[in-house]
Amino acid sequence: GQSLEQPSEVTAVEGAIVQINCTYQTSGFYGLSWYQQHDGGAPTFLSYNGLDGLEETGRFSSFLSRSDSYGYLLLQELQMKDSASYFCAVPHNTDKLIFGTGTRLQVFP
Amino acid sequence: GAVVSQHPSRVICKSGTSVKIECRSLDFQATTMFWYRQFPKQSLMLMATSNEGSKATYEQGVEKDKFLINHASLTLSTLTVTSAHPEDSSFYICSARAGEGAAYEQYFGPGTRLTVT
């Protein structure tokens, strides 16, 4: 089976940097993606890592280490609007997505 | 571009009745649509995958006779919760993918909150 584990909750203050980790166990690997979801809203795509290393998109970066079955999402210059749930996800058989357990980020002033 | 809508956004129904949720891709043709269920403070759980013109593929543990999925066109998929019970109360989210896009290239609808009384 597939499993993706994330910390349940992370807190930080505005302007800080926070890292959300994701460890996975999969049969076959086709990349790791990250999504943001505000309460009651739709998940929105943030980033994708198909190969090892760091991908940077503005204030958000994502890292992947396939040898360690591990990735993280790095959020810099935190803003109040970044308070949301964040999910890592992997494709199953290149097709459907399996989501991680999710991390609730709370940003305080 | 790549907008997916869902209707209704919220619905309350009585136990034993059926409710239909629509998922539409507004500006692209979705060869594949996915239906997820999300309980409060939990992750998205994939219920089924539907391809236009063919039967849906359900995930293990999802009752196909209870959750009827129809993907009648390249822009519309429907999920019907039959004989709903309070435990079916949840947030239902659809997503759509165009053509042969990668798995992560899914566009999510805004979700439908179902409450069964």
Side-chain angles (χ1 to χ4, degrees):
Chain A
Q2 322 241 88
S3 69
L4 297 91
E5 295 294 325
Q6 299 178 236
S8 59
E9 190 167 351
V10 174
T11 60
V13 296
E14 272 189 302
I17 300 173
V18 72
Q19 178 174 311
I20 298 174
N21 299 320
C22 173
T23 56
Y24 59 86
Q25 290 186 328
T26 61
S27 53
F29 182 75
Y30 305 98
L32 184 73
S33 52
W34 288 91
Y35 297 82
Q36 178 192 62
Q37 184 185 31
H38 287 97
D39 285 346
T44 56
F45 173 78
L46 293 177
S47 69
Y48 170 77
N49 294 73
L51 300 173
D52 290 352
L54 191 68
E55 292 285 339
E56 298 181 74
T57 310
R59 294 188 297 115
F60 295 0
S61 303
S62 57
F63 172 82
L64 175 66
S65 170
R66 287 175 295 172
S67 60
D68 295 322
S69 297
Y70 164 76
Y72 66 72
L73 179 70
L74 191 72
L75 298 85
Q76 302 182 74
E77 300 173 21
L78 280 175
Q79 301 175 11
M80 295 294 291
K81 67 178 182 179
D82 297 330
S83 293
S85 293
Y86 293 84
F87 297 91
C88 58
V90 294
H92 176 64
N93 292 337
T94 75
D95 186 10
K96 55 192 178 184
L97 281 176
I98 305 299
F99 283 84
T101 52
T103 300
R104 190 170 186 86
L105 170 64
Q106 293 192 66
V107 181
F108 293 99
Chain B
V3 178
V4 176
S5 71
Q6 278 185 244
H7 178 81
S9 57
R10 290 178 177 270
V11 59
I12 301 173
C13 70
K14 292 187 176 181
S15 187
T17 62
S18 296
V19 61
K20 180 184 286 188
I21 301 170
E22 292 186 348
C23 176
R24 294 181 184 272
S25 56
L26 299 185
D27 50 4
F28 67 101
Q29 294 187 326
T31 52
T32 306
M33 287 185 169
F34 303 89
W35 287 95
Y36 298 85
R37 180 167 53 182
Q38 186 177 33
F39 292 107
K41 298 187 178 181
Q42 293 189 23
S43 187
L44 286 79
M45 299 301 295
L46 181 65
M47 299 175 67
T49 302
S50 73
N51 292 291
E52 185 264 340
S54 62
K55 290 185 178 181
T57 302
Y58 291 81
E59 294 300 302
Q60 193 171 6
V62 177
E63 300 174 61
K64 62 180 181 180
D65 294 331
K66 180 171 183 61
F67 299 98
L68 302 179
I69 292 172
N70 186 338
H71 192 159
S73 77
L74 286 171
T75 60
L76 173 65
S77 177
T78 60
L79 167 68
T80 302
V81 183
T82 63
S83 186
H85 288 96
E87 57 264 32
D88 298 323
S89 298
S90 188
F91 193 48
Y92 291 86
I93 304 172
C94 73
S95 70
R97 189 178 71 204
E100 298 300 318
Y104 69 88
E105 293 178 309
Q106 297 181 23
Y107 304 97
F108 289 85
T112 297
R113 183 151 318 271
L114 170 63
T115 304
V116 184
T117 61

